[in-house]
Amino acid sequence: MAGEIPVIAIDGPTASGKGTVAGRVAERLGWNLLDSGSIYRMVALSAFKRGVEVSDEAALVPLAAGLDARFEQGAILLDGEDVSVAVRREETGNAASRLAAHPRVREALLERQRAFLQAPGLVADGRDMGSVVFPHAPLKIFLTASVEARADRRYKQLIAKGLPANIDSLLHDLRERDARDTHRAVAPLRPCEDAVLLDTTRMSIDEAVRFVLDLAHDRGVA
Ligand code: CDP
């Protein structure tokens, strides 16, 4: 039964390192990975492409429902086109954060996300993984780090991809995105009651990965 397949839900604010940690935990366990943020980001790219405003919920719903999104061998494909780099751009993330505030857009993406739940297990990365998409996940982690540490990580990530980055505007954007994600009415950014908080400000990625794996092991989840 699908309900018996274990899920580790990892959430946290923007640029907290949750994507990297989730990816490595999935790799170490040999489990599937749901990078839900990329799905929201692809809806944003699809909206850009079709000239749909991120404020236009009615137009976004069919676009989200019919999204031709595929994850293949590390590449992210939208309408068959490799968008692995475009999807990481800050403007894409900002637009994703705006359109993710529409309840009907979130609903249109629900089943697509739940379909990732396949044996032997799933590591699910994103805002509402533990609260809405997989509320029965036996392990929920809320990863945080100071806004300065997150801006620094995002800066390095963008530069490494050859994308433009400026530390001051990143700090400003992160603060704005935190506020928007925290205060929105649907799926706001906040730890679930049963989530384990992990502050990674002074932690390396490897240490954070080890923490999650140890916890999963201690709890008999993996
Ligand atoms: O790490 P960062 O927050 O920049 O981004 P992400 O995980 O790639 O997601 C991009 C945006 O999509 C976030 O800022 C969220 O507002 C939204 N999102 C969401 O609402 N629900 C999810 N499950 C995943 C992402």
Side-chain angles (χ1 to χ4, degrees), residues 81-138:
E81 193 188 322
D82 189 343
V83 293
S84 312
V85 174
V87 91
R88 297 317 322 162
R89 286 182 185 276
E90 277 304 279
E91 63 187 45
T92 312
N94 284 325
S97 156
R98 288 175 198 277
L99 63 83
H102 302 306
R104 287 165 55 218
V105 171
R106 307 194 68 84
E107 213 179 286
L109 295 174
L110 206 54
E111 286 316 310
R112 179 190 296 272
Q113 297 178 83
R114 290 195 174 135
F116 280 79
L117 182 56
Q118 284 176 23
L122 177 69
V123 180
D125 160 16
R127 294 298 173 273
D128 55 348
M129 295 297 107
S131 54
V132 178
V133 185
F134 303 109
H136 304 299

Side-chain angles (χ1 to χ4, degrees), residues 75-205:
I76 298 184
L77 305 178
L78 174 66
D79 301 324
E81 193 188 322
D82 189 343
V83 293
S84 312
V85 174
V87 91
R88 297 317 322 162
R89 286 182 185 276
E90 277 304 279
E91 63 187 45
T92 312
N94 284 325
S97 156
R98 288 175 198 277
L99 63 83
H102 302 306
R104 287 165 55 218
V105 171
R106 307 194 68 84
E107 213 179 286
L109 295 174
L110 206 54
E111 286 316 310
R112 179 190 296 272
Q113 297 178 83
R114 290 195 174 135
F116 280 79
L117 182 56
Q118 284 176 23
L122 177 69
V123 180
D125 160 16
R127 294 298 173 273
D128 55 348
M129 295 297 107
S131 54
V132 178
V133 185
F134 303 109
H136 304 299
L139 180 57
K140 301 176 186 177
I141 310 276
F142 193 85
L143 238 127
T144 58
S146 69
V147 71
E148 292 80 10
R150 292 187 281 127
D152 188 55
R153 288 175 193 173
R154 180 55 51 91
Y155 178 82
K156 288 179 180 144
Q157 188 187 31
L158 289 168
I159 295 294
K161 288 217 171 219
L163 290 168
N166 171 288
I167 196 81
D168 290 331
S169 69
L170 276 171
L171 258 175
H172 174 265
D173 280 2
L174 288 191
R175 289 201 172 100
E176 212 177 65
R177 182 111 64 100
D178 279 353
R180 190 165 54 235
D181 286 355
T182 308
H183 298 299
R184 71 185 179 202
V186 281
L189 171 68
R190 83 167 64 104
C192 289
E193 266 170 36
D194 51 349
V196 176
L197 256 68
L198 178 61
D199 187 333
T200 67
T201 307
R202 284 179 197 81
M203 244 188 199
S204 69
I205 290 287

Side-chain angles (χ1 to χ4, degrees), residues 12-59:
T14 187
S16 56
K18 62 189 188 309
T20 311
V21 171
R24 295 213 192 156
V25 169
E27 205 175 279
R28 290 287 298 274
L29 295 173
W31 287 12
N32 301 296
L33 173 70
L34 166 58
D35 171 6
S36 63
S38 286
I39 297 181
Y40 283 89
R41 285 167 179 266
M42 276 195 272
V43 177
L45 286 180
S46 180
F48 292 160
K49 202 163 113 180
R50 291 165 174 84
V52 170
E53 296 287 332
V54 292
S55 56
D56 189 349
E57 182 170 19

